Amino acid sequence: MRTLEWDSTAKRLKMIDQRVLPSKLELISLDTYQSVYQSIKDMAVRGAPAIGVAAAFGIVLAAQQSQAGDVDMLRADLNQAAEVLGASRPTAVNLPWALKRMLGVAGHTYSSTADLRAALLDEAQRMADEDVALNRSMAAYGAELINDGDTIIHHCNTGALATVDWGTALGVIRMAHEQGKHIHVLVDETRPRLQGARLTAWELSQYGIPYDIISDNAAGYFLHTGQVNKVFYGGDRVARNGDVANKIGSYMLALAANANNVPVYSVVPTSTIDMELASGDEIPIEERDQDEVLNIQFQNQPATPKGASARNPAFDVTPHELISGIVTEKGVIYPPFEIHLAKIMQES
Amino acid sequence: MRTLEWDSTAKRLKMIDQRVLPSKLELISLDTYQSVYQSIKDMAVRGAPAIGVAAAFGIVLAAQQSQAGDVDMLRADLNQAAEVLGASRPTAVNLPWALKRMLGVAGHTYSSTADLRAALLDEAQRMADEDVALNRSMAAYGAELINDGDTIIHHCNTGALATVDWGTALGVIRMAHEQGKHIHVLVDETRPRLQGARLTAWELSQYGIPYDIISDNAAGYFLHTGQVNKVFYGGDRVARNGDVANKIGSYMLALAANANNVPVYSVVPTSTIDMELASGDEIPIEERDQDEVLNIQFQNQPATPKGASARNPAFDVTPHELISGIVTEKGVIYPPFEIHLAKIMQES
């Protein structure tokens, strides 16, 4: 199944609960936009493309919930729901992008609330299907960058679970694997939420791609000792100069790769590119609950003292100078990013 | 009490079991060199200076265990024990340094095995006392580098627990704190064994020094956003060109500090400096059991899939270009390290 999927019988949004993987593969079923808000905030669903589409279905649910008697009143309810959904997480631009697109559809002329509701469901379904198609297109372009025998460091989770299906950076790796290339993945465990250890390792097992989990700290060692050919990760928001906001730790990984002449690729759909921001300095960085850092057990023993405090920024920005290429559904963009991103975004 | 201490009544080596901190403060009592070997290997005791002194007491225990009827036979038993103890962990040079020093004492002339045994105990006790004195001396030199109001990133544990008492890099921070300087420490949790989260946070709580634990991944964010003044860590082996082998992750931290013009200091006694090695490339890097990476629980749930595999290098090398200064008991050494280390080592 897809990571998230509309259940047309029950008229609900079904999704894989990513908080309980890899121990359990459980589905949750959401029938209000408020529960979609909560699922994004709590990271039952995560990954920039996946939360964009989840929010789109949140608007479908808001339309379903609304008691509005006419199209204008329904639009007012949708605007209010979009505001709530948009506040769930600040960094990934796919969330406001998806909401804007849904509200754009709501802005057309409809003869009845039923027509508007139907149009919203169509649009959300289209976005879900498009996401899978875009991912396959990115994967095809990105797979050309991978050689038979490559060892690749991958950060966080960017697979089927981070998208509707297939994945971004992990989708590239999966495509290269399906093309018969022999790849070994060093999976950054990706503290604090361990999306690499929990989710990417689980996905790689399913696909039969050989891997080893490493502590994030170990990436520098493998890069410096010449054991790594490429670094791949996704992206949550790309500024127009090519700065990439991605999961915390991406910046240090990119620094270590650059210091050892290993190329770094960010794989993102163009919906992740935010041409309104001049640089990564303007990207809002979410700081999450300290419990994500503190509530960890090492060999089943508590790993932090009672009363300890923590800081927990969830993303960092990789300056564009450290990025070798940005893989999109329209092709691989190379520096100078400022010029090449503008060109590709004008084409859309 | 000290991290490790000779119990002269029971004729045993007592030490804090660092594997169960911060949940429990437990002592273990060792009466054979084989159990000292095991305690170093399993990391009941860790930290380059502490394992050096532990190994020295291991030789005392070997002398006590030996049934040798004369001094020559006792020496043969000691040589054999030194070989076992020396194989417990490969990276920290303090271990072979301490064993060499103990065997040097054994090489003198003794009229009886009892005299040799007594001389060995004296020497081990002297090394333990010296370690505390050296640490205080390093702390005094290092504290001059710290300004009132500094925020410092600290990697791994280098406190009282990593030494006989007081600490190396954490000893510097403690000294600055005792001098009345207001310091905030960002504690790298230091995966995989989480010595930062488990041990450094625990020590800082005891000393009343304000801190926040961060995932190792987050150091780059704090450095890039101008929230950090200095980086301090210890060292397990320093080559004569100033390359520093230290806990895995130190290299990436140093890269991120350098990219943001934040100075990086390694704090080590001169016993950690290995003038026989031209560069860090020659330092043996221990790869430990994959269970240290895999056996982790996030919010009390398993964080890795069943059957997952991992790689676990325990150290990496920070090239000397990334090190601003090496703090020793003889003062702070600045680049060019090749020249300044040679000078200071000749003086000893």
Side-chain angles (χ1 to χ4, degrees), chain B residues 148-206:
Chain B
D148 191 33
D150 273 357
T151 293
I152 297 170
I153 294 184
H154 176 275
H155 195 67
C156 198
N157 174 265
T158 64
L161 291 167
T163 58
V164 176
D165 202 354
W166 190 264
T168 57
L170 202 59
V172 167
I173 290 168
R174 187 174 168 186
M175 182 69 83
H177 169 74
E178 294 198 354
Q179 290 169 350
K181 292 173 186 166
H182 298 84
I183 302 163
H184 191 85
V185 183
L186 292 174
V187 177
D188 261 4
E189 64 176 8
T190 318
R191 279 283 287 154
R193 289 189 68 95
L194 296 155
Q195 293 94 333
R198 292 194 300 112
L199 308 176
T200 298
W202 182 78
E203 285 199 44
L204 289 170
S205 305
Q206 315 258 316

Side-chain angles (χ1 to χ4, degrees), chain A residues 240-320:
Chain A
R240 67 169 180 260
N241 69 345
D243 290 355
V244 175
N246 192 48
K247 181 53 52 198
I248 193 78
S250 302
Y251 169 49
M252 294 176 84
L253 174 58
L255 282 170
N258 275 261
N260 296 287
N261 301 310
V262 172
V264 176
Y265 298 101
S266 167
V267 185
V268 292
T270 52
S271 57
T272 302
I273 300 165
D274 185 349
M275 295 300 284
E276 290 179 18
L277 301 189
S279 84
D281 296 342
E282 298 173 26
I283 299 174
I285 299 295
E286 177 182 13
E287 184 152 348
R288 294 183 58 84
D289 196 281
Q290 62 174 354
D291 182 70
E292 294 183 350
V293 176
L294 298 175
N295 192 351
I296 178 181
Q297 294 78 40
F298 176 64
Q299 299 177 345
N300 296 298
Q301 308 238 18
T304 53
K306 272 185 196 135
S309 63
R311 293 284 306 275
N312 184 20
F315 300 91
D316 59 27
V317 173
T318 306
H320 59 89

Side-chain angles (χ1 to χ4, degrees), chain B residues 1-4 49-50 53 127-128 131-132 135 160 162-166:
Chain B
M1 74 158 284
R2 290 178 166 186
T3 295
L4 66 170
V53 177
M127 285 167 72
D131 183 64
V132 183
N135 287 344
T163 58
V164 176
D165 202 354
W166 190 264

Side-chain angles (χ1 to χ4, degrees), chain B:
Chain B
M1 74 158 284
R2 290 178 166 186
T3 295
L4 66 170
E5 213 164 49
W6 183 251
D7 179 342
S8 51
T9 315
K11 298 190 176 175
R12 292 173 169 213
L13 177 62
K14 282 190 311 185
M15 56 170 71
I16 295 174
D17 185 350
Q18 304 194 34
R19 295 166 302 181
V20 298
L21 278 170
S23 322
K24 284 171 274 186
L25 179 58
E26 278 181 5
L27 297 182
I28 50 179
S29 199
L30 310 175
D31 58 0
T32 65
Y33 75 86
Q34 292 91 343
S35 58
V36 174
Y37 163 85
Q38 206 59 46
S39 72
I40 296 172
K41 198 175 166 64
D42 298 345
M43 296 178 71
V45 61
R46 27 70 48 201
I51 65 179
V53 177
F57 282 111
I59 293 295
V60 172
L61 289 169
Q64 205 168 268
Q65 289 169 259
S66 170
Q67 310 286 328
D70 64 40
V71 169
D72 278 345
M73 285 170 72
L74 180 49
R75 274 196 201 105
D77 286 348
L78 297 176
N79 282 329
Q80 202 247 319
E83 211 150 304
V84 171
L85 288 161
S88 54
R89 297 194 69 194
T91 302
V93 74
N94 311 63
L95 186 65
W97 170 85
L99 292 166
K100 197 174 156 194
R101 189 164 149 177
M102 292 298 282
L103 293 183
V105 166
H108 300 166
T109 308
Y110 298 94
S111 52
S112 70
T113 54
D115 283 1
L116 172 48
R117 287 190 175 99
L120 291 170
L121 179 55
D122 273 2
E123 187 69 6
Q125 294 276 33
R126 193 173 303 119
M127 285 167 72
D129 294 340
E130 276 175 18
D131 183 64
V132 183
L134 295 179
N135 287 344
R136 286 188 166 269
S137 176
M138 279 186 268
Y141 284 117
E144 291 174 26
L145 301 168
I146 295 180
N147 297 321
D148 191 33
D150 273 357
T151 293
I152 297 170
I153 294 184
H154 176 275
H155 195 67
C156 198
N157 174 265
T158 64
L161 291 167
T163 58
V164 176
D165 202 354
W166 190 264
T168 57
L170 202 59
V172 167
I173 290 168
R174 187 174 168 186
M175 182 69 83
H177 169 74
E178 294 198 354
Q179 290 169 350
K181 292 173 186 166
H182 298 84
I183 302 163
H184 191 85
V185 183
L186 292 174
V187 177
D188 261 4
E189 64 176 8
T190 318
R191 279 283 287 154
R193 289 189 68 95
L194 296 155
Q195 293 94 333
R198 292 194 300 112
L199 308 176
T200 298
W202 182 78
E203 285 199 44
L204 289 170
S205 305
Q206 315 258 316
Y207 310 147
I209 301 174
Y211 71 89
D212 288 295
I213 299 172
I214 60 172
S215 71
D216 306 300
N217 275 333
Y221 169 82
F222 289 106
L223 286 159
H224 191 66
T225 51
Q227 300 183 58
V228 182
N229 304 97
K230 269 131 209 166
V231 167
F232 273 90
Y233 50 70
D236 291 79
R237 193 184 299 227
V238 177
R240 67 168 179 261
N241 69 345
D243 290 355
V244 175
N246 191 48
K247 181 53 52 198
I248 193 79
S250 302
Y251 169 49
M252 293 177 85
L253 174 58
L255 282 170
N258 275 260
N260 295 288
N261 301 310
V262 172
V264 176
Y265 298 102
S266 166
V267 185
V268 292
T270 52
S271 56
T272 303
I273 299 165
D274 186 349
M275 296 301 283
E276 289 180 19
L277 300 189
S279 83
D281 295 343
E282 297 173 26
I283 300 174
I285 299 295
E286 177 182 12
E287 184 151 349
R288 294 184 58 84
D289 196 281
Q290 62 174 355
D291 182 70
E292 295 183 348
V293 176
L294 299 174
N295 192 351
I296 179 181
Q297 294 77 40
F298 176 65
Q299 300 177 343
N300 295 299
Q301 308 239 17
T304 52
K306 272 185 195 134
S309 63
R311 292 284 307 273
N312 185 21
F315 300 91
D316 58 28
V317 174
T318 306
H320 60 90
E321 300 89 359
L322 302 178
I323 304 275
S324 313
I326 299 174
V327 182
T328 75
E329 75 276 13
K330 298 181 180 174
V332 184
I333 321 285
Y334 293 99
F337 292 116
E338 185 97 43
I339 294 164
H340 292 159
L341 284 175
K343 199 176 288 179
I344 213 162
M345 294 306 277
Q346 273 162 3
E347 288 167 12
S348 15

